[in-house]
Amino acid sequence: MVSSWRRLLLATLPSTCIVCARYLTDGSNLCLECSQELPWIESACNRCGNASLNLPLHHGVCGACRLRPPPFRRCLSLFHYRSPVDSLVAGFKFNARFDIGYALALLLANRMHRYYAEHPRPDLLIPVPLSRARLRERGYNQALEITRVVAKHLRLPVCATAVLRTRDTLPQSQLHSSHSRRRNLRQAFQIGPAPELEGVRYVAVLDDVVTTTATVSECCRALGGRGIATIDLWCLARTGH
Ligand SMILES: [Zn+2]
Ligand SMILES: [Zn+2]
C-alpha cells in the first residue's frame, strides 16, 4: 500500500505545474497557459459523452444512444484522452503521482460543482472499483482517489463498497466478436455490502478514463438492479471511439 506519509509528502511538495513543471506561487498545480492548452472536450453526445470529431448528433444525442440508450443518464468527461492528459493520467495511475491525481480531480470537482449548481445533486458518489488482484498490485484505486477529492469539494458522501469488481476484464477493444465482448463483461460487477445504498435513488459514478462505455455500463447495470434509478457518470478523460 502507498503510505499516507508518501501521499502527504507528494501533496505538499513545493507547488509546480503538473504539465510544464514551472514553480507556481498561488499554491495551484496547473499554470494558466497549460490549462488553456489542455484538450478540453467542447462538444459530445449528451448521453454517452462520445466526443469523437464529426460524430453526427441529433438533438445532441448520437445514433448509438438513440438506438440503444445507455444505463446511465449522462457520461460527462473533462478531456480528450490525448497528450498531455494521457501521460498525466498514466503518471497518476501507474506511478503513484498523487499530486497529478489531485490536480486533475480538482478540475473535475470544479466542473461537477458548476454542473450540480444547475441540476439536482446525486445522493452518493461511487468510484468504479478495481478487482482485488489489481488493487493489491497497484496499492490504490485511482477512481477512489479522484472521488475522495470530489466528495470533499461537493460535500457529498462516498461509498467505495457499493459495487465490487469480481474479476478483471480484458479491454473490450482486444475482443473481436460481440459474443466474447459480452462474455468478458458478464457478472464482472456485483453489489457489495453497502448499507449506504439504502433508499438511495440517484448516484454519480466516477472513473479516471472511459474507453468504451461497455465496462462502466455493466457497473451501472449492477447498481440499477439495486434500485438506483438515475446514474451520472463522470470521468477525467474519454478516448475517441
Ligand atoms: Zn504549466
Ligand atoms: Zn451517445
Side-chain angles (χ1 to χ4, degrees), residues 73 115-116 119-124 199-204 227-232:
R73 185 171 67 167
Y115 181 86
Y116 289 122
H119 297 83
R121 281 158 63 89
D123 304 313
L124 193 63
V200 165
R201 303 277 293 153
Y202 178 18
V203 302
I228 309 288
T230 309
I231 301 171
D232 293 337

Side-chain angles (χ1 to χ4, degrees), residues 45-49 61-62 64-75 213 216-217 220-221 231 233:
C45 168
N46 280 338
R47 287 298 304 268
C48 68
V61 178
C62 77
C65 288
R66 279 203 307 281
L67 207 62
R68 194 177 293 179
F72 46 82
R73 185 171 67 167
R74 289 196 78 167
C75 174
T213 51
V216 281
S217 287
C220 294
R221 281 191 194 100
I231 301 171
L233 190 58

Side-chain angles (χ1 to χ4, degrees), residues 21-233:
R22 173 199 310 183
Y23 280 102
L24 299 171
T25 50
D26 60 357
S28 71
N29 294 82
L30 181 64
C31 76
L32 191 61
E33 288 85 341
C34 289
S35 168
Q36 285 168 345
E37 294 287 307
L38 289 176
W40 297 93
I41 287 179
E42 275 158 20
S43 120
C45 168
N46 280 338
R47 287 298 304 268
C48 68
N50 188 332
S52 304
L53 291 175
N54 306 322
L55 178 74
L57 299 175
H58 186 71
H59 294 295
V61 178
C62 77
C65 288
R66 279 203 307 281
L67 207 62
R68 194 177 293 179
F72 46 82
R73 185 171 67 167
R74 289 196 78 167
C75 174
L76 293 119
S77 172
L78 294 183
F79 301 114
H80 295 282
Y81 190 63
R82 32 176 215 245
S83 175
V85 169
D86 50 357
S87 1
L88 291 172
V89 170
F92 168 43
K93 197 162 161 177
F94 304 114
N95 292 314
R97 286 286 306 268
F98 289 102
D99 57 330
I100 294 177
Y102 183 75
L104 295 176
L106 262 192
L107 297 175
L108 185 64
N110 286 335
R111 173 74 195 285
M112 290 176 70
H113 187 74
R114 288 200 304 275
Y115 181 86
Y116 289 122
E118 294 171 0
H119 297 83
R121 281 158 63 89
D123 304 313
L124 193 63
L125 303 179
I126 298 175
V128 171
L130 291 182
S131 68
R132 281 164 91 165
R134 188 61 55 78
L135 187 60
R136 255 199 312 273
E137 172 194 319
R138 190 170 300 163
Y140 56 98
N141 173 2
Q142 70 281 358
L144 174 57
E145 299 298 323
I146 294 167
T147 307
R148 283 192 177 122
V149 175
V150 169
K152 189 160 174 247
H153 284 259
L154 271 69
R155 296 181 183 195
L156 283 170
V158 180
C159 182
T161 53
V163 49
L164 306 175
R165 196 166 194 143
T166 48
R167 57 188 177 80
D168 280 314
T169 48
L170 295 166
Q172 288 291 92
S173 54
Q174 280 180 16
L175 301 164
H176 298 296
S177 76
S178 57
H179 175 71
S180 53
R181 284 198 288 266
R182 272 198 307 276
R183 197 178 49 195
N184 180 43
L185 293 178
R186 198 173 300 145
Q187 293 170 346
F189 296 93
Q190 64 180 219
I191 294 297
E196 295 93 331
L197 279 181
E198 215 53 62
V200 165
R201 303 277 293 153
Y202 178 18
V203 302
V205 170
L206 288 87
D207 207 356
D208 55 334
V209 179
V210 166
T211 308
T212 70
T213 51
T215 310
V216 281
S217 287
E218 277 311 300
C219 177
C220 294
R221 281 191 194 100
L223 288 164
R226 179 60 197 268
I228 309 288
T230 309
I231 301 171
D232 293 337
L233 190 58

